[in-house]
Amino acid sequence: MKQFILSLVLLSTVFTSYSQVDFVPNSSFKVEVGLPNNSSNQAFRDLMQGLVILTPSYQHTFNNSFSIGAGLRYGFFNVNEFKNNVDLSGGMHIAGAFVKIGREKFYGDIGIDYGVRIGYSANFFNTNYNDSLSGKPFSNESIFIEPTFGISLMATERTSFRLALGFAVNDFVFSADQVGIEQFSAYDINDLNKRTSYFTIGFGYSYYFGVK
């Protein structure tokens, strides 16, 4: 994975150094669909499987390639029923919103878009244990920060498709009570105290307004 990311960075450097700017984006509507891969904490990585992250957003890019944007975020992580011995089932829904700052620039038909999303999310742990205990999902709130990187390829004069990468760090710690059980007995306490984070790789679509 490190070699893959390094290749993307080198590719972007090549386009920056040797290509001429043909397309100058202005405002755009973007949609990204990604597959999240848990990176910490240990219990979250073992018990929850990332299925989808959906991110619609609006972005404005200035003449100097600086960009600002805002959007919504939905994600779903399914309980891995093969990684627990307490018959836990269900999943976690993430619903949130974010703002983004970054840069977006095209070199010929190839575009580079990178930045940082800062947002808020409500997290709903809809499991069979929570349903038995309270009749509703356990919920909490969190702030997340997500560096992003994307490479776009123009499809028409106003549309492009993109490879999108992100690494989201949430300020909540995944714990047993969130899924309705007493404890994670198989894990060291140091592995459980880490903030919840996940790496996302996916694809996106952009439609551009007011092309310069």
Side-chain angles (χ1 to χ4, degrees):
M1 182 59 68
K2 291 182 179 179
Q3 292 179 343
F4 177 69
I5 295 176
L6 179 60
S7 298
L8 293 179
V9 174
L10 292 175
L11 181 62
S12 67
T13 302
V14 170
F15 283 116
T16 302
S17 301
Y18 297 105
S19 300
Q20 294 182 349
V21 176
D22 292 332
F23 176 71
V24 181
N26 191 339
S27 300
S28 58
F29 171 75
K30 302 179 182 294
V31 178
E32 292 180 5
V33 179
L35 177 66
N37 298 277
N38 307 343
S39 61
S40 66
N41 65 39
Q42 188 65 43
F44 185 74
R45 187 165 61 212
D46 289 345
L47 295 179
M48 308 298 291
Q49 293 178 305
L51 294 186
V52 66
I53 296 290
L54 177 63
T55 310
S57 64
Y58 172 84
Q59 182 167 298
H60 180 78
T61 303
F62 297 93
N63 291 334
N64 61 358
S65 78
F66 178 78
S67 64
I68 58 174
L72 303 176
R73 186 180 189 84
Y74 170 77
F76 181 69
F77 292 77
N78 185 54
V79 171
N80 188 340
E81 298 182 23
F82 300 102
K83 286 292 185 73
N84 73 87
N85 57 7
V86 293
D87 295 324
L88 180 68
S89 62
M92 180 182 75
H93 299 268
I94 299 173
F98 63 87
V99 295
K100 176 191 172 186
I101 56 174
R103 302 187 74 91
E104 181 181 30
K105 198 167 186 178
F106 275 80
Y107 305 91
D109 289 334
I110 304 295
I112 304 298
D113 185 356
Y114 59 91
V116 177
R117 294 170 178 158
I118 303 172
Y120 155 90
S121 67
N123 311 302
F124 302 93
F125 297 85
N126 185 17
T127 68
N128 57 330
Y129 276 75
N130 283 333
D131 188 56
S132 298
L133 289 171
S134 62
K136 61 181 181 179
F138 177 94
S139 63
N140 64 7
E141 301 175 348
S142 65
I143 302 298
F144 68 87
I145 298 176
E146 182 182 23
T148 64
F149 181 85
I151 296 181
S152 301
L153 176 64
M154 294 297 297
T156 70
E157 292 182 353
R158 290 187 176 271
T159 63
S160 70
F161 294 94
R162 57 193 277 132
L163 172 67
L165 305 174
F167 183 75
V169 179
N170 296 264
D171 72 343
F172 79 91
V173 175
F174 182 67
S175 59
D177 63 303
Q178 294 167 357
V179 294
I181 61 179
E182 292 185 0
Q183 62 179 347
F184 295 136
S185 58
Y187 300 96
D188 184 271
I189 187 64
N190 294 324
D191 293 328
L192 299 178
N193 286 334
K194 297 178 181 178
R195 289 182 174 86
T196 303
S197 61
Y198 50 87
F199 175 81
T200 302
I201 181 169
F203 295 94
Y205 167 84
S206 297
Y207 183 87
Y208 299 94
F209 306 92
V211 177
K212 299 170 187 177

